Amino acid sequence: MNIKQIIKKYNYPEDLANFLTIVYANFLKYFGEDKEDIIYEALNNTEIVLGDNIYETLNKRGLIDNVEGDSLVNEDDLKRAVGIYQSVPDIKYNLKTNTFEINSIKRLIAINAPDLSSNYSKSTLVHELGHLIKSYFKEYTIEENKLKSRNGLISREWQLTIKDGKIIKKLIKEEGIGLEEGLNTVLEEDIIRQIIDANYQATGYGVISSVARNIIKTSDIAIPMLNSQILNDKESIINIFEDISPNLYNNLECLMDKLYKLSLKMFSEIFDPEKMQETSKQIKEVLVKEYLPLQNIMTKSQEYRLGE
């Protein structure tokens, strides 16, 4: 498999082509060469677009997924985003079988930059490529009248109904965003440190990336975590955490979603220092009261395993 074929397919400009070639090789090292089929197909079926307005880019291409229900990521977040991986399934209703079916999936990576001249735009692209690769394999499934999706460790469910001949999606479940974003930021840092700056530190998700890196600081968790993210096998990593302590994974997932939501809130308050300071205080309280007890459980478990 040759990355040059993908570059030629989308007629990528020289700076993007050169960077993508380097990143592709590093993704193979990061995930393992046995995952190349998934990595290649993900890039081959997803165009990368550089521009100055992510929301408009998605809107023009029919990739604004209008759904009912509350999501941790809303329209305003899209308008503030510096980069995004977006996928939208085309769902049809089969009258013969009375079932919903996935006809096709549209995917796109959009970066809010005219080129890749800055390290910021490069790191943003690496981050979004991480989301793409970790979601591509079995991203969507339909069970009865429910659409299910996963992006790494993020799980979402929508209730599907038909109203006036139109398929309506109502979000009924969304979890794992904080943990996945934290882990994906760790990926971003690791890749950029290899190819651009050995001292690179991501700025977008500081708190959740620090917590995520601490969670996977041992290889007996880090490697299974990567495999579960890319191979759609969340259950295996849940079992590893359950062996450490009952409900540990669920507690970490809920904690990270809370921290993620507070991080987005703090970012939206950037022009209101007083509110921003109050949200920062809330984050510190969550870390002390909710995260530290979980960290102690994992630390004691690690010490026990090392002492065996």
Side-chain angles (χ1 to χ4, degrees):
M1 285 169 278
N2 194 330
I3 187 64
K4 291 182 179 178
Q5 294 174 340
I6 297 175
I7 291 168
K8 183 178 180 181
K9 174 181 178 179
Y10 292 110
N11 193 29
Y12 287 141
E14 185 177 1
D15 62 338
L16 177 53
N18 292 338
F19 185 67
L20 200 57
T21 301
I22 298 171
V23 169
Y24 183 77
N26 277 268
F27 272 128
L28 293 183
K29 293 178 184 177
Y30 197 85
F31 288 109
E33 293 192 3
D34 59 319
K35 312 295 193 310
E36 184 171 11
D37 285 351
I38 295 173
I39 296 170
Y40 183 88
E41 287 301 315
L43 291 170
N44 191 45
N45 291 305
T46 308
E47 185 178 5
I48 300 167
V49 176
L50 305 177
D52 59 3
N53 191 314
I54 287 176
Y55 183 83
E56 288 302 318
T57 297
L58 296 178
N59 195 34
K60 287 177 182 177
R61 293 170 181 258
L63 280 161
I64 298 295
D65 197 13
N66 295 314
V67 299
E68 297 180 351
D70 295 328
S71 171
L72 286 180
V73 181
N74 56 41
E75 185 176 304
D76 288 337
D77 295 322
L78 282 180
K79 291 179 178 179
R80 287 192 295 263
V82 294
I84 190 171
Y85 161 64
Q86 183 82 328
S87 71
V88 176
D90 178 30
I91 301 171
K92 304 293 184 183
Y93 187 74
N94 190 322
L95 293 173
K96 293 182 180 180
T97 60
N98 292 320
T99 58
F100 292 96
E101 299 173 354
I102 298 173
N103 187 46
S104 62
I105 302 171
K106 291 194 292 185
R107 297 179 170 95
L108 186 77
I109 286 178
I111 305 298
N112 190 7
D115 53 45
L116 292 180
S117 58
S118 71
N119 288 345
Y120 188 68
S121 59
K122 291 175 183 174
S123 61
T124 300
L125 177 56
V126 168
H127 188 94
E128 301 311 325
L129 286 169
H131 280 313
L132 162 65
I133 291 167
K134 290 187 287 181
S135 71
Y136 188 80
F137 181 67
K138 297 181 180 179
E139 183 174 11
Y140 291 99
T141 56
I142 291 180
E143 296 179 12
E144 297 181 348
N145 294 339
K146 291 181 180 178
L147 171 69
K148 297 185 177 183
S149 82
R150 64 108 202 167
N151 184 322
L153 298 174
I154 300 171
S155 303
R156 294 185 178 95
E157 288 186 18
W158 295 265
Q159 185 70 49
L160 300 175
T161 56
I162 295 180
K163 184 177 181 181
D164 299 326
K166 183 179 179 181
I167 295 175
I168 305 297
K169 293 190 294 184
K170 182 178 181 180
L171 185 66
I172 56 176
K173 177 183 176 182
E174 183 176 50
E175 58 190 21
I177 293 182
L179 181 55
E180 181 59 40
E181 284 292 356
L183 291 168
N184 204 50
T185 302
V186 170
L187 175 149
E188 171 194 336
E189 290 181 340
D190 290 346
I191 296 292
I192 294 298
R193 287 172 185 176
Q194 286 292 319
I195 62 179
I196 297 178
D197 179 3
N199 298 312
Y200 174 74
Q201 189 77 36
T203 58
Y205 296 117
V207 173
I208 58 174
S209 64
S210 295
V211 174
R213 190 175 287 280
N214 192 55
I215 290 172
I216 59 167
K217 63 184 178 182
T218 59
S219 61
D220 57 340
I221 289 180
I223 294 174
M225 185 78 83
L226 273 178
N227 288 331
S228 69
Q229 287 174 290
I230 199 170
L231 295 176
N232 189 15
D233 187 17
K234 188 174 181 178
E235 195 63 32
S236 67
I237 200 66
I238 291 175
N239 291 336
I240 289 175
F241 281 92
E242 287 296 300
D243 287 342
I244 297 173
S245 178
N247 297 317
L248 178 58
Y249 183 87
N250 182 65
N251 291 335
L252 282 170
E253 187 174 73
C254 292
L255 166 74
M256 293 292 274
D257 279 345
K258 182 182 292 187
L259 289 173
Y260 176 76
K261 191 172 183 179
L262 286 169
S263 295
L264 288 182
K265 183 173 182 288
M266 190 169 71
F267 181 68
S268 70
E269 296 167 343
I270 194 169
F271 297 112
D272 192 331
E274 189 173 332
K275 286 185 178 180
M276 193 174 183
Q277 187 175 9
E278 179 58 34
T279 304
S280 177
K281 182 181 177 181
Q282 286 181 270
I283 291 174
K284 291 176 182 177
E285 288 177 354
V286 171
L287 288 172
V288 172
K289 295 180 180 179
E290 299 181 41
Y291 171 62
L292 285 183
L294 298 178
Q295 183 190 40
N296 290 335
I297 292 172
M298 290 185 289
T299 300
K300 289 179 181 178
S301 174
Q302 181 187 356
E303 291 173 349
Y304 174 77
R305 293 197 305 274
L306 291 173
E308 289 182 334

